Amino acid sequence: MKQYIALDEWSIVEETFDPGNNQVSESLFSIGNGHMGQRANFEEAYSGRSLQGSYMAGVYYPDKTRVGWWKNGYPEYFAKVLNATNWIGLDLRFGEEQLDLARCTVKEFRRELNMRSGYLQRTFVTELPGGRQVRVEATRFVSIVRPEVGAIRYAVTPLNFSGQLQLSLYLDGDVKNEDANYDEKFWDETTRENTAQGALLTVRTRKLDFHVCSAMAYDILQRGQKVSVPADLTSRDKYVAHTLHLPVEQGQTTIAYKYVANVTSRDHAADDLQTVSRRVLAAAQAQGFESLLAEQAQAWAQKWQESDIVIEGDVAAQQAIRFCIFQLNQTYTGQDERLNIGPKGFTGEKYGGSTYWDTEAYCLPFYLSTAEQHIPRNLLLYRYKHLEKARENARKLGFTKGALYPMVTMNGEECHNEWEITFEEIHRNGAIAHAIYDYVEYTGDAAYLAEYGLEVLVEISRFWEERVHFIAAKGYVMLGVTGPNEYENNVNNNWYTNRMAAWTLEYTLEVLDRVRTTDPGRCRDLERKLRLQESEIARWRDIMARMYYPYDAERQVFLQQDGYLDKELIPAGDLDPKHRPLNQHWSWDRILRSCFLKQADVLQGLYFLGDRYDLATKKRNFDFYEPMTVHESSLSPCVHSILACELGYREKAYELYLRTSRLDLDSYNHDTQDGLHITSMGGTWMSVVKGFGGLRVRHGRLVLNPLLPDHWRSFSFKVMFRGARLRVSVGKGRLNVVNETDTGFELTVCDHDYRVAGKETLTIPLS
Amino acid sequence: MKQYIALDEWSIVEETFDPGNNQVSESLFSIGNGHMGQRANFEEAYSGRSLQGSYMAGVYYPDKTRVGWWKNGYPEYFAKVLNATNWIGLDLRFGEEQLDLARCTVKEFRRELNMRSGYLQRTFVTELPGGRQVRVEATRFVSIVRPEVGAIRYAVTPLNFSGQLQLSLYLDGDVKNEDANYDEKFWDETTRENTAQGALLTVRTRKLDFHVCSAMAYDILQRGQKVSVPADLTSRDKYVAHTLHLPVEQGQTTIAYKYVANVTSRDHAADDLQTVSRRVLAAAQAQGFESLLAEQAQAWAQKWQESDIVIEGDVAAQQAIRFCIFQLNQTYTGQDERLNIGPKGFTGEKYGGSTYWDTEAYCLPFYLSTAEQHIPRNLLLYRYKHLEKARENARKLGFTKGALYPMVTMNGEECHNEWEITFEEIHRNGAIAHAIYDYVEYTGDAAYLAEYGLEVLVEISRFWEERVHFIAAKGYVMLGVTGPNEYENNVNNNWYTNRMAAWTLEYTLEVLDRVRTTDPGRCRDLERKLRLQESEIARWRDIMARMYYPYDAERQVFLQQDGYLDKELIPAGDLDPKHRPLNQHWSWDRILRSCFLKQADVLQGLYFLGDRYDLATKKRNFDFYEPMTVHESSLSPCVHSILACELGYREKAYELYLRTSRLDLDSYNHDTQDGLHITSMGGTWMSVVKGFGGLRVRHGRLVLNPLLPDHWRSFSFKVMFRGARLRVSVGKGRLNVVNETDTGFELTVCDHDYRVAGKETLTIPLS
């Protein structure tokens, strides 16, 4: 754990420069706008350790699979969101000396990610080897109003000298993914323009033919006046630069404004990219940096209006939750249904920026509650559009019908290549089915079911049908799976997977009945298209009725899987702290045969299907599993925290909340340098709103069951619900619900029902 | 399956040239002598597809591990026997035209591996593009008398022209392993000499500092006379060549004799390599090719005298078994206890030439019966010398005591990197313990136990002790293992592993008692050195008594593992033949959750511990498992065949024998191009001698229970036993045992005891 971030309610702040923390900071201070993401690399040269990262959403590369030992069924490639043209680059030289913080003395340093207004600012004073002292203030953002625009204000002040500044502004497309499997480059240049008017560079991926065009323009300000300076033009393969020679005076600030438009063939015809980029760039430059920044601040204020959480009395918790909300909003805006949410978003290369079940299980609730309905809907459509590929995936693995969604994907094809995960972590199909349920329950958008949802549900149900088989001794069993708890591999009858499979069948039949009633024509067409047979439905009913669930009658708990009780059951608290985290200290087989859980599958199931189990059941299972859970998945503590709230385990809930919320800010797992745990941030949001807020939706009513941690004076959160937007505040002994809109809604608080009218404020005393 | 090898009792013969078969033939016609191995690559240039392979025993390279996803505990490297200097190379040009069978018309072609005398011969007539026709006869061998010597006789006859032959003879050290993980080269040059007197090249590995020095000399014969021709010398990094310009006449044969000495720093001081190689080379050249070849033929005649198997009435079976014996003798001579037997020997790069449990389980019996006692003893010492590394390996995986031998190794360190195998296929420890038992039973060399065996047994027992744990419901259980049947991974309570573990404990205690009696001083020293405690021994007894064995009371069979009966049990015969072999058609998860076995672990256990189970038990288990076994391990059919013999399943035994014996000759598994299945050849030998011959050793007596397959007129085999060498012949209704030595021995045939005196011949009628 590394704690060097200063506590602040609205900003992430680093107040000294420690090169050892630099890669962690590059992740933490990342900026993004859904269209592109940029790690907090320095604009100027830096020869120290750094992971340069500029990413364009949805621009990926099929990197040839690397394995030790090939298994039948592995995919040919892993799709990776690519490190793309470095558009932030500047180079500063005074005489022969280059400004490079790895080679200069850093006298003052401050880096701030301003979350309220959505920009990154870095100020520093440095002394070059020859004694020249310079102050720099660098501010940049990627616009959430104009997603293709990035802008930088780079202000330089000589402190103890006057002289010449040689300033280069460049675009560099000769970049490489650090995680390339075979150390290959993925980009070729297609066009390059470099004139006094500006520079432009188009590169294309060597496979799949994605084109990215970056255009750059700049203004120089001295003594508050725009100055016109002739530029030396440098041009080589995948690189364009303008170099300016500027007289600078001691104490006088020179400001370079750099404007960039990054446009891609995903959004425009490849032939139009140059024209579009020039147009977008010209509009941005005409608007000017300061005005663009004001526009940005205003847009972020609106985002916060929709999604802020306020925690009083605990700055660390406040900063952490805002960081999570900020990063989620930076990563996915929901405007493009072809996109999804990678576990690291645009903040690093790990996991390739691809889609995991994280989206459905941990991110969907955030977007359901804080964004317009079409945004979570787009997350669902993403999977709907991949249904054909999921069918192909099932065929590839030997199934005669049904669909298996991939473990990891970019375009619907499986990318992952660990047999115990790729082929066996099939519970993802259950989460994708459950997301449809979640969406429809929350929004009431039943039309989605007829149009899209039912087809996905039928195909997932068919997969489960073929994946189980019946044995007299147990009923329907499912062999050879890996649950969400990846610290068990290739097990039989994982309770969670069996349970979610049976639940899928049940929900599919419920939806089928519903659509048969609400939209009989569409339903008939669909049944014909899918060749749905009554015999299948009968078999689903039989599986629902006779599914086998491992259970311990003595403890009355559901079992992680067959044979779990053959393990030595030891509380994680008895482990030598030197052995934690286990995944850094134990060999893999030792982890597998131990009782310790990366996350507890049974609890995940009790969370998803919370309506179907009583508190006593939840308590028995929580009390059994939580002590053996080591939470080495970033996705683990949030669900445990939510259940702890439900069970009234106030202190445990708070402890688990802290663990999830400051995971990156305090680099708990020593891996923040690889990128932020973006999808787990959705879980953190859940642990406040669904945990401490106790928010659920039941039969079209919003349900709240708040629990205020002892460490907080109060907390409040924003949620949207069926056209209304409300602010829920929980203080000691009282709950306030402010309806900020004109739309009324149905509310249940601690088992009492209310109707909240438009603009109404409801205050409810809490015991 | 590819069948193009002509049937012949003593030779492997290919009578036409099909480039599509060339890589398979390069494996099949490999030559070796324990010190080096050489694939049957052409001496002259060949631009078609080829896997050039020259290997020096024990010269290996730690190639950086390649994985898709790293697991804690993986080794840093995989040790690979290296492709070393190409010493066979020649280049022939007539005018501008190069002799290259990929570019010439092949008019006649014959390749023969003469197993009786131990050489490879290739004759062909070819027409070069310009119309010149040439006959070539190329003969080569690596000497089993002078292990560092390789010799080639290359005879060229112009058939329709006279002119100039430009002949280059070279050594090329710029070679690469095709299976290099990162496409790196592993060799650097250290010395190079190239004078009129000859050429010499020393290369060293980039890691571990192995030096290999190759020296070359040659003689040219025309019209039966040695001719002296000045050579053009070519010399560049890792390459030396002599180029001769020879007038050749139509119908007249020019013979080039090429002599090479390959010496390594494993056998000589690195500084002496040049001197040694020159000396070895000079002696070989002085002797002359024809005389060296005669010496070779004589030495091979002696080998056959010790190990031949004669099968009458079935040429395919005869050829196959001789091929197995020949290749085993080519691979391992037992003179160097630092060496072992890689699954592919020196015939390819796959499996890196490293040591697997194959040696103990499938190869040891061959060397016990056909070689001097010190040779199988050396195979055991190999593991004894790795004991310290096996202890370190256990520590690395978190065990506080005991030893875990590696799955794959060169120098005792683990090389493998698949968690389900590396960490979980721990049954290898049982096979290593059992090999000690096997060796001592066969040879009666009880002194080995006190000196080496007991220490290994204690450390393996300690590993088992720590690897099991007790649960009230079952007894001692062992979780998370993979048995020999690699079509099940990460299972609980694999019957075979549990059984071999308990057997190890029992045998260790038996040996301990024995050594306490026979060598009390040594035993005390050892107990002190190992800090052996009575409490440990008590725990071993408890584990032996309460080990849990999965069992099906209904069918009265031992179970492959916990949960095996939850599978759908289907005979392999019901599979669509299009799905076979499963490992080429089914995704890995489907294989894992199916009932189908790569090899049947329970049957392996019943074979190893055959004395402890009655025929009825063996029959029940064979009848249950054999139908579900797909024999996709090359090591599977031999053990099944042996049990089938024991059970009197004559036709089944024969079918399984054919499958094991012609695996490579008929390229059953479509993978012979990667190299031969050398260790499985030991299993083939076992299926004749232990299967059809029914050979066992019990209480110091040789036991025979012969079974003559209906397809054979008779068969006979040679075995050595406690100083005697005998020839056992089995014909219809009679068994002949000829004692070829003066040493008598005790024999049991079909439950009757005999004493066979020196030089005696015993004829026993069989029912």
Side-chain angles (χ1 to χ4, degrees), chain A residues 476-611:
Chain A
Y476 285 94
V477 294
M478 205 180 323
L479 308 186
V481 306
T482 296
N485 167 37
E486 291 168 337
Y487 284 2
E488 309 270 5
N489 292 161
N490 190 41
V491 301
N492 293 342
N493 294 308
N494 173 259
W495 182 86
Y496 171 79
T497 308
N498 284 17
R499 188 68 195 88
M500 291 305 291
W503 174 87
T504 307
L505 298 177
E506 189 184 319
Y507 183 57
T508 303
L509 292 181
E510 185 188 316
V511 170
L512 182 65
D513 281 349
R514 188 164 168 182
V515 178
R516 274 176 177 166
T517 311
T518 57
D519 198 344
R522 165 71 186 155
C523 203
R524 262 194 312 278
D525 290 349
L526 201 58
E527 290 184 56
R528 206 172 302 126
K529 174 184 165 193
L530 298 175
R531 295 202 177 85
L532 189 66
Q533 309 287 325
E534 279 308 317
S535 60
E536 285 180 287
I537 292 172
R539 191 164 144 82
W540 298 352
R541 288 194 203 283
D542 192 45
I543 295 168
M544 283 155 55
R546 297 199 285 169
M547 180 68 92
Y548 164 73
Y549 301 107
Y551 184 69
D552 177 27
E554 190 192 318
R555 296 175 183 83
Q556 293 181 275
V557 295
F558 305 121
L559 289 177
Q560 171 71 26
Q561 72 233 11
D562 274 354
Y564 186 74
L565 292 181
D566 287 355
K567 292 168 181 275
E568 288 189 277
L569 302 181
I570 307 165
D574 287 3
L575 284 167
D576 184 339
K578 287 202 302 281
H579 290 194
R580 307 283 291 270
L582 298 181
N583 63 20
Q584 287 173 22
H585 296 92
W586 281 13
S587 73
W588 187 241
D589 61 315
R590 189 175 181 189
I591 290 175
L592 289 182
R593 67 178 180 270
S594 80
C595 69
F596 300 114
L597 306 170
K598 191 180 181 193
Q599 61 190 101
D601 294 350
V602 168
L603 302 189
Q604 179 74 37
L606 295 180
Y607 159 70
F608 266 159
L609 308 181
D611 280 359

Side-chain angles (χ1 to χ4, degrees), chain A residues 66-69 71-73 78 182 397-399 416-420 423-424 467 469 471 474 477 479 489-490 492-493 562-563 565-568 582-590 592-593, chain B residues 66-69 71-73 78 182 397-399 416-420 423-424 467 469 471 474 477 479 489-490 492-493 562-563 565-568 582-590 592-593:
Chain A
R66 187 179 73 185
V67 294
W69 304 87
K71 305 282 186 198
N72 246 15
F78 196 107
Y182 296 92
L397 299 188
F399 294 89
H416 198 67
N417 58 343
E418 266 175 306
W419 63 267
E420 64 274 20
F423 304 144
E424 298 203 337
R467 189 59 168 73
H469 70 272
I471 57 166
K474 292 184 170 171
V477 294
L479 308 186
N489 292 161
N490 190 41
N492 293 342
N493 294 308
D562 274 354
L565 292 181
D566 287 355
K567 292 168 181 275
E568 288 189 277
L582 298 181
N583 63 20
Q584 287 173 22
H585 296 92
W586 281 13
S587 73
W588 187 241
D589 61 315
R590 189 175 181 189
L592 289 182
R593 67 178 180 270
Chain B
R66 187 179 73 187
V67 294
W69 304 88
K71 304 283 185 197
N72 247 13
F78 196 107
Y182 296 92
L397 299 188
F399 295 89
H416 198 68
N417 58 342
E418 266 175 305
W419 63 267
E420 64 274 20
F423 304 145
E424 299 203 338
R467 188 59 169 74
H469 70 272
I471 57 165
K474 292 184 170 171
V477 294
L479 308 185
N489 293 161
N490 190 40
N492 293 342
N493 295 308
D562 274 355
L565 292 181
D566 288 355
K567 291 167 181 275
E568 289 189 276
L582 299 181
N583 64 20
Q584 288 174 22
H585 296 93
W586 281 13
S587 73
W588 186 241
D589 61 315
R590 189 175 180 189
L592 289 181
R593 67 179 180 269

Side-chain angles (χ1 to χ4, degrees), chain B residues 258-363:
Chain B
K258 183 176 180 186
Y259 303 94
V260 176
N262 290 311
V263 303
T264 83
S265 58
R266 292 182 67 258
D267 301 307
H268 311 281
D271 288 346
D272 297 341
L273 290 183
Q274 286 77 36
T275 314
V276 174
S277 68
R278 273 189 224 102
R279 189 176 64 224
V280 171
L281 180 65
Q285 189 176 18
Q287 186 89 18
F289 182 91
E290 308 300 342
S291 170
L292 291 169
L293 182 57
E295 184 182 273
Q296 171 86 341
Q298 201 173 359
W300 270 104
Q302 181 60 32
K303 288 259 186 202
W304 288 114
Q305 180 65 13
E306 290 157 5
S307 57
D308 195 19
I309 291 179
V310 178
I311 295 173
E312 290 187 318
D314 190 340
V315 184
Q318 172 67 79
Q319 182 182 44
I321 190 65
R322 284 221 174 97
F323 184 62
C324 293
I325 296 168
F326 181 70
Q327 290 294 357
L328 284 164
N329 281 324
Q330 286 207 120
T331 302
Y332 182 74
T333 63
Q335 302 307 331
D336 183 342
E337 85 226 9
R338 296 167 299 174
L339 298 179
N340 207 288
I341 306 159
K344 302 273 174 202
F346 302 115
T347 66
E349 298 177 2
K350 208 175 170 189
Y351 303 119
S354 295
T355 306
Y356 289 65
W357 75 296
D358 301 27
T359 296
E360 281 76 14
Y362 303 99
C363 298

Side-chain angles (χ1 to χ4, degrees), chain A residues 243-269:
Chain A
T243 302
L244 313 174
H245 298 273
L246 298 161
V248 290
E249 277 176 55
Q250 183 170 346
Q252 293 292 334
T253 300
T254 299
I255 300 179
Y257 292 108
K258 182 177 180 186
Y259 303 94
V260 176
N262 290 311
V263 303
T264 83
S265 58
R266 292 183 66 259
D267 302 307
H268 310 281

